[in-house]
Amino acid sequence: MTNVPSKVSIIVPVYNVENYLTKCLDSLVKQSLPDIEIIVVNDGSKDDSEKIIKEFAQKYPEKIKAFAKENGGLSDARNFGIDKAAGDYIGFVDSDDYVTETMFEEMFHLAEKHQAKMVICNIQKVDENGRIVQKLTQLPNMSEKIELGRHFSIFSDISYFACNKLFKKELFHQRRFKKGIHFEDIQLIPQLLLECETIAQTQNFHYQYLERSDSITKTHTEKGLDMLKAVADVEKVFSESQYSNKKTELKNFQIFEGVYSFLAYLAFVKEEKKFYNMSDQLNLFMKERQIKIQDILLYSRFGKNYILSLPLKKKIFYLLFFAGQKKLIRKLI
């Protein structure tokens, strides 16, 4: 492989995605930013993913760096890629998604322009025909350059996906994705944000998140409790960070990720015993942090009351839970 200096390393963990991988890699080799490396990590795939990876590596040897390892999960594959990355910046793309041609060029230039250690773009969910299903605006009504000291409310407003962000590589010097857990993004990305003083964003919808028609609905289990553990891990780092005095924003983070996001997961837990156990764990989480029902009902995101902005079905579920009507919820699930 020719050694070309890389401004951006794009890490693509791969596991049994033969039907989607070509479109993903095609969108990456066509990036308008020339100085990139695409680190493709085959995490023990059992389908034809490896064959597709080899074809791309042969066709684009100056861009593709292909690796194969035993299956270790998403966090392990991402960490493997971070260790191999030579770029000044790191991005992550899931292997069944794809991106616009200019994504990494624009985000790289924004990072350099504003000396930002993290850059964010918008996401749109698409179906397999490329039709837009939903647009996910990340930071509405915010400027291109965001100084966290003045706008720290974004700590609780932001969506902590890894895939729609570009990171300065130095953020990963001491930190990695936690292995063997669910919700690894919620666990790590807030910690990286706490290392930043300035971030940047584009309102362009660069990241195309595929809603797969062949995906079987994931079983919602007690693994959802990892979400509460992720919040606890962030709390520890928060208390030692330069923003440790921002108590209101921390509480809002606890409410959004630890209560609302957790309840959104809990709504799909079918097994009754697990549902009640997870409900008890959430109540304990709230009690330990002195989060009151009033705090939750008054929580605002992007300046708007969160619960009032939700679809009716979700709103009813949350309100019944806060009212202690768990038996009635079970009838609705």
Side-chain angles (χ1 to χ4, degrees), residues 152-158 160 231 238 246-261 285 291 294-296 298-303 306:
F152 196 69
S153 62
I154 69 161
F155 182 75
S156 57
D157 289 343
I158 201 171
Y160 285 109
V231 173
F238 191 98
K246 306 279 191 180
K247 305 296 184 187
T248 300
E249 288 81 359
L250 176 61
K251 177 165 266 191
N252 284 339
F253 172 79
Q254 293 164 335
I255 290 170
F256 181 59
E257 297 293 0
V259 179
Y260 278 118
S261 296
F285 173 91
I291 298 172
Q294 186 180 10
D295 298 327
I296 298 166
L298 293 177
Y299 166 69
S300 289
R301 192 175 186 218
F302 304 124
Y306 186 69

Side-chain angles (χ1 to χ4, degrees), residues 143-249:
S143 61
E144 186 180 275
K145 178 183 180 182
I146 302 168
E147 294 173 2
L148 265 66
R150 295 174 57 212
H151 301 285
F152 196 69
S153 62
I154 69 161
F155 182 75
S156 57
D157 289 343
I158 201 171
S159 294
Y160 285 109
F161 307 112
C163 60
N164 69 323
K165 297 173 179 67
L166 186 67
F167 305 91
K168 189 80 171 172
K169 189 184 179 184
E170 66 189 52
L171 290 174
F172 294 97
H173 283 176
Q174 302 294 325
R175 305 197 187 280
R176 290 290 188 273
F177 289 96
K178 196 169 184 177
K179 297 177 190 176
I181 64 162
H182 285 40
F183 308 105
E184 58 281 305
D185 288 2
I186 296 173
Q187 194 271 347
L188 178 65
I189 309 304
Q191 296 185 39
L192 302 184
L193 184 66
L194 291 170
E195 298 289 328
C196 301
E197 293 177 1
T198 300
I199 67 169
Q201 69 145 345
T202 167
Q203 288 293 325
N204 286 323
F205 290 83
H206 284 305
Y207 196 87
Q208 315 299 302
Y209 175 91
L210 179 65
E211 289 215 320
R212 289 162 56 171
S213 61
D214 70 338
S215 63
I216 301 165
T217 303
K218 290 181 181 176
T219 307
H220 285 62
T221 68
E222 286 175 301
K223 273 288 187 183
L225 292 170
D226 285 352
M227 200 181 299
L228 303 184
K229 294 172 188 172
V231 173
D233 284 350
V234 172
E235 289 167 351
K236 290 173 194 169
V237 177
F238 191 98
S239 67
E240 299 164 1
S241 76
Q242 59 187 316
Y243 304 107
S244 58
N245 63 320
K246 306 279 191 180
K247 305 296 184 187
T248 300
E249 288 81 359

Side-chain angles (χ1 to χ4, degrees), residues 1-66:
M1 169 170 174
T2 309
N3 288 320
V4 178
S6 301
K7 293 188 172 91
V8 174
S9 300
I10 304 166
I11 297 168
V12 186
V14 173
Y15 183 70
N16 293 350
V17 284
E18 61 182 4
N19 294 332
Y20 310 99
L21 185 56
T22 297
K23 189 163 190 175
C24 173
L25 294 181
D26 206 40
S27 75
L28 296 177
V29 296
K30 291 178 179 174
Q31 285 298 294
S32 57
L33 182 69
D35 305 329
I36 64 168
E37 62 173 7
I38 303 156
I39 299 172
V40 187
V41 182
N42 184 358
D43 191 39
S45 296
K46 295 177 174 63
D47 63 359
D48 277 340
S49 293
E50 178 65 17
K51 181 182 174 185
I52 296 167
I53 294 168
K54 283 181 176 176
E55 287 172 358
F56 269 87
Q58 287 168 4
K59 191 173 180 182
Y60 303 98
E62 75 289 355
K63 290 186 183 292
I64 301 274
K65 287 185 177 178

Side-chain angles (χ1 to χ4, degrees), residues 80-191:
F80 183 96
I82 292 168
D83 291 339
K84 302 293 183 186
D88 299 320
Y89 295 88
I90 291 177
F92 301 94
V93 174
D94 291 343
S95 51
D96 47 359
D97 300 332
Y98 55 99
V99 302
T100 65
E101 195 172 305
T102 57
M103 174 171 169
F104 288 103
E105 180 178 21
E106 183 182 14
M107 294 175 80
F108 169 76
H109 287 309
L110 284 172
E112 293 284 287
K113 177 182 175 183
H114 300 298
Q115 293 298 291
K117 292 182 183 177
M118 186 184 297
V119 183
I120 302 169
C121 74
N122 289 334
I123 299 172
Q124 54 191 17
K125 291 185 177 181
V126 294
D127 65 17
E128 291 184 25
N129 296 312
R131 286 190 292 257
I132 299 166
V133 176
Q134 185 182 10
K135 284 180 172 285
L136 301 174
T137 302
Q138 300 300 289
L139 292 169
N141 309 316
M142 298 290 286
S143 61
E144 186 180 275
K145 178 183 180 182
I146 302 168
E147 294 173 2
L148 265 66
R150 295 174 57 212
H151 301 285
F152 196 69
S153 62
I154 69 161
F155 182 75
S156 57
D157 289 343
I158 201 171
S159 294
Y160 285 109
F161 307 112
C163 60
N164 69 323
K165 297 173 179 67
L166 186 67
F167 305 91
K168 189 80 171 172
K169 189 184 179 184
E170 66 189 52
L171 290 174
F172 294 97
H173 283 176
Q174 302 294 325
R175 305 197 187 280
R176 290 290 188 273
F177 289 96
K178 196 169 184 177
K179 297 177 190 176
I181 64 162
H182 285 40
F183 308 105
E184 58 281 305
D185 288 2
I186 296 173
Q187 194 271 347
L188 178 65
I189 309 304
Q191 296 185 39

